Amino acid sequence: QNPKTYAIVKQLLAEGNAGELQKYFGSRMEFGTAGLRAAMGAGISHMNDLTIIQTTQGFCRYLEKNFSDLKKRGVVIGFDARAHLSSGGSSKRFARLAANTFISQGVPVYLFSDIIPTPFVPYTVTHLKLCAGIMVTASHNPKQDNGYKVYWENGAQIISPHDKGISQAIEENQEPWPQAWDDKLIDSSPLLHDPYAMVNKEYFKDIQKQCFYRNINKVTNLKFVHTSVHGVGHKFVQLAFKAFDLSPPFAVPEQKDPDPDFPTVKYPNPEEGKGVLTLSFALAEKDGARIILANDPDADRLAVAEKQESGEWKVFSGNELGALLGWWIFTCWKNNSSDTRAVKDVYMLSSTVSSKILRAIALKEGFHFEETLTGFKWMGNRAKQLMDQGKAVLFAFEEAIGYMCCPAVLDKDGVSAAVITAEMASFLATRNLSLSQQLKAVYDEYGFHITKASYFICHDPKVIQQLFDNLRNFDGKNTYPKSCGRFKVSGIRDLTTGYDSSQPDQKAILPTSKSSQMITFTFANGGVATMRTSGTEPKIKYYSELCAPPGNSDVEQLKKELDELVNALEKHFFQPEKNKLQRKTE
């Protein structure tokens, strides 16, 4: 019933374009733990009115089966500013159709009336004790994409087996229910609620529990630039600064308002580094700002750059900012905790492909560190388990510039991370320290952790499969590599098959997943490298790290060693020429 997608399909039929029709209708989008993520357009392989209705019908039936009080508690739905003119799809339209589906079944819906950052959805699930949450966003993906992200009643993203249960329910509920298309019905329904004003008040009240130096914030001379990269973050970061009594950051004018075309950037992803920050650097130079804070379009991630003494800009990696925030949040906890014995109930988490700097800090300071599988769904769920046991989870992070700094949101949150980073920088400025200098101090105290990560693009799943099969049958069947160039391999953990050479029974402790590829190599020189596939992009990613004990200050030597290890990894394990892989820089 969407005239635009209908016209696209009619046109393809008229042209007899079987190839395109096969692409549109050959296979349904897969619903996984990350929900849905695909281009907007016609057909069951794309995000459109029909696939949103079908997905929500399945999700609604699955929730009815799991919660006897669904009609009392309800669900929350939020959306970003994405829109796709040619197919008529937009995040707002999809959110309204999803709301209509639930309301037609007597389920209360808390539908945000305007665009919000992704973390507001998990916040609302927890705050209002709802059964579930949906956020319509494709985060930092290219402009034609959209997504449908799902949270469970615990305020964390879903993990298995919910994805399979929802997926099956979608298959069983594909025929649109009566009035499924008529989203105007919701406007007069007593089951529709708008949590926008309440959450805008309560969220900013809750993050103030992480504000420790209001007196410094009020008078700091430090200036900040903020960019929301054409996404939703502008208004909310301004409000967060106000909540912490900081002067508002300078907003990059060309990027502060939402624009689904992302006109000033090639990719709307601050993880891509300096290219996305060009306009921020220019504004910072003009206004004399030393620190840049950049959110991705749905404001759940944060990149930070700082102007160095030399005049150059340093963009911190996700691991470096993770080290700084971990140090800062623990230091604030320690300074404000009356009972130092409570340290044994303090936890920090990071994903297995992120730097182990938190482990080093935890060992020295006496708190607990745990690693989880990649992705905030694992850290959010684990954090909730620990909190239910009376533990304090102060911080969790992943190297893909995601940070959970505040227990009110069990997911990455770029809004609270931005303002906490600003307070940390303002505090350090009173000690005449920059963020870079403090990072070095952290490494001096807890040991240098040098990391390097990148990816190759590969659109052919068969090539990816072959590449990982080769690693599992390197010197004959079922043998992994014993070395990588001159670097001797001392341990292997394969979370696709569940093998771990370091365990007595050779079985991995972390959960395994046959549907995604992930192998970690430990080297005799203390290096660690992980190769894995991405759940949302056609990429094979790698992450590497060299850790030195405190006192080893020859950073240049460590960097050189890691560079050589990475070169060997690319040459011998990826074999980009043979496998026709495209490098990140291309």
Side-chain angles (χ1 to χ4, degrees):
Q1 292 193 29
N2 177 323
K4 288 188 171 178
T5 48
Y6 182 59
I8 293 167
V9 177
K10 264 179 80 170
Q11 175 72 28
L12 291 171
L13 280 167
E15 293 166 3
N17 192 335
E20 280 301 289
L21 285 166
Q22 179 62 36
K23 260 193 233 165
Y24 286 23
F25 292 95
S27 63
R28 176 170 288 282
M29 284 179 292
E30 217 171 292
F31 190 97
T33 49
L36 298 173
R37 186 78 66 90
M40 290 179 271
I44 58 171
S45 63
H46 289 132
M47 300 280 292
N48 53 53
D49 291 4
L50 176 64
T51 52
I52 290 293
I53 288 169
Q54 292 171 325
T55 300
T56 311
Q57 290 181 171
F59 189 33
C60 181
R61 288 287 177 259
Y62 185 76
L63 289 172
E64 285 168 348
K65 217 162 65 182
N66 279 274
F67 297 103
S68 56
D69 55 356
L70 176 66
K71 289 182 178 166
K72 204 169 83 199
R73 289 161 69 192
V75 299
V76 56
I77 302 175
F79 55 90
D80 69 8
R82 284 176 180 258
H84 189 244
L85 281 177
S86 62
S87 71
S90 73
S91 297
K92 184 174 187 172
R93 166 118 184 108
F94 295 161
R96 285 180 61 84
L97 286 167
N100 188 37
T101 302
F102 279 107
I103 284 172
S104 76
Q105 304 303 299
V107 177
V109 172
Y110 295 81
L111 172 69
F112 281 94
S113 53
D114 203 350
I115 55 171
I116 51 153
T118 292
F120 277 26
V121 168
Y123 177 82
T124 307
V125 172
T126 308
H127 196 75
L128 295 179
K129 301 185 171 55
L130 306 180
C131 293
I134 297 166
M135 178 68 190
V136 183
T137 178
S139 190
H140 55 264
N141 270 41
K143 64 182 178 186
Q144 67 273 14
D145 289 1
N146 215 325
Y148 185 106
K149 196 173 184 180
V150 174
Y151 295 86
W152 202 242
E153 65 163 343
N154 63 357
Q157 289 177 57
I158 57 162
I159 49 174
S160 212
H162 294 312
D163 55 330
K164 293 179 188 61
I166 296 166
S167 198
Q168 195 186 333
I170 295 167
E171 292 292 332
E172 292 161 4
N173 290 280
Q174 288 183 18
E175 176 75 30
W177 299 335
Q179 300 173 315
W181 299 87
D182 192 0
D183 66 307
K184 285 196 254 333
L185 292 171
I186 64 174
D187 296 319
S188 56
S189 170
L191 293 171
L192 183 74
H193 310 279
D194 177 11
Y196 191 86
M198 180 275 295
V199 171
N200 264 307
K201 198 171 95 213
E202 296 298 321
Y203 169 87
F204 292 105
K205 221 159 69 186
D206 271 342
I207 65 168
Q208 286 181 55
K209 292 171 190 158
Q210 316 310 124
C211 176
F212 296 104
Y213 292 97
R214 202 171 283 282
N215 51 340
I216 291 175
N217 298 346
K218 281 177 183 166
V219 297
T220 183
N221 297 323
L222 210 52
K223 292 179 183 170
F224 299 90
V225 157
H226 174 250
T227 177
S228 43
V229 193
H230 304 295
V232 303
H234 169 72
K235 174 185 173 179
F236 304 98
V237 169
Q238 297 279 326
L239 286 169
F241 268 62
K242 198 174 158 190
F244 273 53
D245 273 325
L246 284 154
S247 299
F250 299 110
V252 176
E254 303 91 331
Q255 296 177 335
K256 91 178 167 64
D257 297 321
D259 186 334
D261 282 328
F262 305 114
T264 65
V265 291
K266 191 176 170 192
Y267 301 108
N269 183 0
E271 237 191 308
E272 297 288 340
K274 293 194 171 174
V276 181
L277 300 177
T278 310
L279 292 169
S280 301
F281 294 142
L283 181 65
E285 298 288 357
K286 180 168 105 32
D287 288 334
R290 207 178 79 202
I291 291 172
I292 291 166
L293 304 164
N295 287 123
D296 67 343
D298 68 329
D300 64 351
R301 286 179 162 90
L302 173 74
V304 176
E306 181 183 57
K307 194 171 186 181
Q308 305 299 291
E309 298 276 299
S310 62
E312 287 286 299
W313 284 93
K314 173 183 169 61
V315 182
F316 293 94
S317 72
N319 285 322
E320 290 173 329
L321 192 56
L324 279 166
L325 283 168
W327 161 81
W328 173 249
I329 288 166
F330 180 73
T331 305
C332 291
W333 176 86
K334 198 164 68 172
N335 293 343
N336 289 277
S337 171
S338 50
D339 179 11
T340 46
R341 287 171 309 182
V343 74
K344 66 180 189 320
D345 286 329
V346 167
Y347 280 74
M348 287 194 183
L349 312 174
S350 72
S351 67
T352 182
V353 297
S354 302
S355 169
K356 296 296 169 280
I357 183 67
L358 295 184
R359 183 175 64 191
I361 300 175
L363 278 170
K364 195 163 177 180
E365 300 292 347
F367 63 90
H368 295 270
F369 165 74
E370 278 189 19
E371 68 170 10
T372 70
L373 287 179
T374 315
F376 257 88
K377 59 187 178 197
W378 298 105
M379 284 183 274
N381 278 285
R382 181 62 184 142
K384 182 73 174 94
Q385 280 179 346
L386 289 164
M387 285 154 68
D388 287 347
Q389 293 164 21
K391 311 295 184 197
V393 180
L394 296 187
F395 179 60
F397 91 97
E398 64 179 3
E399 52 67 50
I401 63 173
Y403 311 95
M404 183 182 111
C405 303
C406 173
V409 175
L410 295 178
D411 197 10
K412 53 186 178 291
D413 179 356
V415 178
S416 59
V419 73
I420 289 167
T421 301
E423 178 171 86
M424 165 172 66
S426 303
F427 172 85
L428 289 168
T430 65
R431 307 282 194 274
N432 288 324
L433 287 167
S434 65
L435 291 173
S436 309
Q437 287 166 326
Q438 181 55 41
L439 180 66
K440 185 176 179 314
V442 169
Y443 286 148
D444 282 338
E445 184 160 352
Y446 302 106
F448 272 87
H449 288 60
I450 314 284
T451 58
K452 197 171 184 181
S454 191
Y455 59 79
F456 288 94
I457 294 172
C458 180
H459 292 279
D460 186 346
K462 285 203 264 317
V463 171
I464 295 176
Q465 184 64 50
Q466 185 61 51
L467 187 149
F468 281 92
D469 283 347
N470 284 346
L471 291 171
R472 295 188 181 103
N473 302 283
F474 204 74
D475 295 317
K477 201 166 161 47
N478 294 332
T479 61
Y480 292 88
K482 293 185 176 63
S483 64
C484 178
R486 72 174 177 85
F487 298 97
K488 191 172 173 303
V489 173
S490 60
I492 286 151
R493 183 185 65 191
D494 187 336
L495 289 181
T496 307
T497 64
Y499 170 76
D500 187 340
S501 65
S502 71
Q503 294 303 318
D505 59 359
Q506 306 213 315
K507 285 192 173 69
I509 295 167
L510 284 175
T512 57
S513 165
K514 289 186 174 52
S515 60
S516 57
Q517 301 284 353
M518 180 158 163
I519 306 179
T520 301
F521 298 94
T522 306
F523 295 93
N525 69 344
V528 178
T530 296
M531 295 167 62
R532 66 177 273 263
T533 46
S534 164
T536 51
E537 298 163 300
K539 291 175 177 177
I540 315 173
K541 301 183 171 185
Y542 68 79
Y543 311 81
S544 62
E545 179 166 41
L546 257 185
C547 310
N552 180 348
S553 54
D554 194 348
V555 188
E556 290 316 309
Q557 180 52 40
L558 285 170
K559 280 185 181 159
K560 189 167 161 282
E561 179 90 350
L562 187 62
D563 284 344
E564 286 177 21
L565 178 59
V566 165
N567 291 341
L569 191 75
E570 289 191 353
K571 184 178 164 187
H572 299 288
F573 289 2
F574 280 94
Q575 301 179 304
E577 286 73 29
K578 180 187 148 195
N579 291 315
K580 299 189 174 57
L581 306 177
Q582 191 184 336
R583 286 179 184 278
K584 175 181 175 176
T585 46
E586 294 164 19

